[in-house]
Amino acid sequence: MNQAFASIELDSTAIAAGEDLTGRVIQGESAPAIDAAVTLELLWRTSGLSQAEEKIVVSQTLPPFGAQGSAFQLKVPEAGPISYAGKTFSITWCVRIVSAVPAEKTFTVVPALQKPELP
Amino acid sequence: MSGTLHAPAPKLLRILGGMLLWLILGVVLWRLFAGTVAKRHDTLLFVYLILVAVAGALWLSAAINGLVLRSRLECPVLTVVNARPCLGEHVRFRLALLARRRTTVCKVVAVLSLSEEVRKARRREKILPVVVFRADSVLAEDLRLDKGESRDLPGELLVPPDAMQSFESHLCACRWQLEVLVFVGRQLVWRERETLSVQPVRIETTEKKPA
């Protein structure tokens, strides 16, 4: 197994809070087939004037896959937090593959669109 | 959600603390000048003591004036209609005023603010609050109230759609706060605060209103 050669492709890099993040974990072009389960983590982290913090929101195990890759679907919590770039700290969301050489992909969580009240 | 009484206890403590400070200062000056300098310069002692007394009296009168102005109104009650607004929604609230005596409220201002707070590390509790958003609205001006008269002041302020939601982690926080300031004369006499929980997703209404 060589997970270091795996990468992540996202269907969209801007997701509303409460919606599903979808994409695929794919094998590198010249990498050998991934023959073991791969753990995928959805997380946010803070950075700025304080020490960095990280919170894993969802963790999902993907079965072994070949050159065609493996699709995933992870739910971003309704409570967020949304992505943020403030004066003293920022919040960044990403999805990553847990391995000796981890791969990760950042994306943006935005507020959900408001729906009109029912009559 | 009702407003809480913030000011009376700290204000009383400040006044008592101030009086104690003046007392200590007076005693120190008395001992200083009576023991050494005053033997040769009695006039100087009295000049200094009079200055201290005048300054103390001014401070005390200002403090009492503040208390008198404050006592003209009952503690205002701030009620937030939607304390968990979504980004892009209005925060709706109302302030209930009740006059103990006939008075004119100079101005009532509502302030909505978002501040960032950061602790540098878990063990060093150094907090850096920075206000990143502030909006205000004047609810009333030159409001004349008779003794026992009450007034309900409604208001609303917009939470910008591109702002940050309420957030708190171990080291970082984004806090939304609604504050209502009541001025009588030029003096701020009451300050009521409520913390809001701003959400990124609107909680959908599932119940239909009857036809």
Side-chain angles (χ1 to χ4, degrees):
Chain A
M1 185 187 78
N2 194 342
Q3 293 179 5
F5 293 111
S7 63
I8 301 167
E9 280 185 356
L10 299 177
D11 294 338
S12 173
T13 54
I15 308 293
E19 290 187 353
D20 288 340
L21 174 76
T22 54
R24 299 180 73 80
V25 176
I26 54 170
Q27 190 184 332
E29 284 180 7
S30 57
I34 296 173
D35 53 2
V38 170
T39 303
L40 202 62
E41 290 177 341
L42 177 69
L43 62 121
W44 56 259
R45 60 169 70 104
T46 63
S47 58
L49 294 182
S50 67
Q51 284 181 346
E53 283 181 278
E54 186 176 286
K55 184 174 183 183
I56 298 165
V57 177
V58 183
S59 186
Q60 183 181 328
T61 303
L62 299 178
F65 54 87
Q68 76 279 9
S70 177
F72 64 84
Q73 185 172 351
L74 301 165
K75 186 175 174 66
V76 176
E78 284 189 351
I82 57 173
S83 298
Y84 179 61
K87 289 184 179 176
T88 57
F89 74 96
S90 58
I91 299 172
T92 312
W93 278 87
C94 72
V95 59
R96 75 179 172 201
I97 300 166
V98 180
S99 69
V101 184
E104 70 174 40
K105 195 85 172 178
T106 58
F107 63 97
T108 307
V109 175
V110 297
L113 292 174
Q114 288 193 20
K115 293 175 184 175
E117 286 183 13
L118 294 173
Chain B
M1 193 182 298
S2 64
T4 50
L5 193 63
H6 295 285
K11 185 112 184 173
L12 192 63
L13 283 177
R14 277 204 300 272
I15 289 169
L16 290 175
M19 287 171 71
L20 190 63
L21 199 66
W22 284 111
L23 188 65
I24 291 168
L25 188 60
V27 169
V28 167
L29 286 171
W30 180 271
R31 296 300 304 163
L32 185 68
F33 288 105
T36 56
V37 186
K39 284 179 181 171
R40 296 188 300 274
H41 305 286
D42 283 347
T43 322
L44 193 62
L45 166 68
F46 286 110
V47 168
Y48 270 91
L49 286 180
I50 286 168
L51 282 177
V52 169
V54 168
L58 284 173
W59 175 85
L60 199 60
S61 66
I64 289 171
N65 183 46
L67 278 181
V68 168
L69 290 177
R70 181 185 174 85
S71 69
R72 291 182 182 176
L73 293 170
E74 291 283 352
C75 175
V77 178
L78 174 62
T79 307
V80 182
V81 178
N82 54 337
R84 290 170 61 85
C86 183
L87 290 166
E89 276 186 349
H90 283 87
V91 181
R92 295 184 301 279
F93 54 92
R94 60 177 185 273
L95 185 77
L97 288 177
L98 175 61
R100 283 180 179 155
R101 283 178 298 195
R102 186 176 181 178
T103 187
T104 301
V105 177
C106 181
K107 193 181 272 191
V108 181
V109 184
V111 180
L112 179 66
S113 63
L114 169 64
S115 58
E116 291 178 8
E117 286 182 18
V118 168
R119 270 176 287 166
K120 291 202 168 182
R122 280 186 173 83
R123 290 183 182 176
R124 286 191 299 153
E125 300 288 304
K126 190 172 184 181
I127 298 171
L128 304 169
V130 177
V131 176
V132 292
F133 171 80
R134 184 186 160 96
D136 55 47
S137 164
V138 177
L139 302 182
E141 274 184 301
D142 293 329
L143 184 66
R144 292 173 193 278
L145 295 171
D146 287 328
K147 184 179 178 182
E149 186 182 356
S150 64
R151 196 64 64 90
D152 207 25
L153 303 173
E156 62 176 28
L157 283 163
L158 179 68
V159 179
D162 57 348
M164 178 56 181
Q165 67 179 95
S166 297
F167 169 76
E168 184 161 7
S169 67
H170 291 295
L171 299 176
C172 309
C174 278
R175 298 185 202 286
W176 281 94
Q177 191 178 61
L178 177 67
E179 199 171 28
V180 178
L181 312 173
V182 181
F183 293 87
V184 175
R186 288 181 180 178
Q187 201 151 348
L188 171 64
V189 292
W190 289 100
R191 172 181 287 183
E192 296 297 305
R193 293 190 190 99
E194 284 291 347
T195 302
L196 306 174
S197 177
V198 174
Q199 304 296 314
V201 180
R202 182 174 184 163
I203 299 164
E204 290 183 52
T205 308
T206 51
E207 293 179 7
K208 289 185 178 181
K209 290 177 184 174

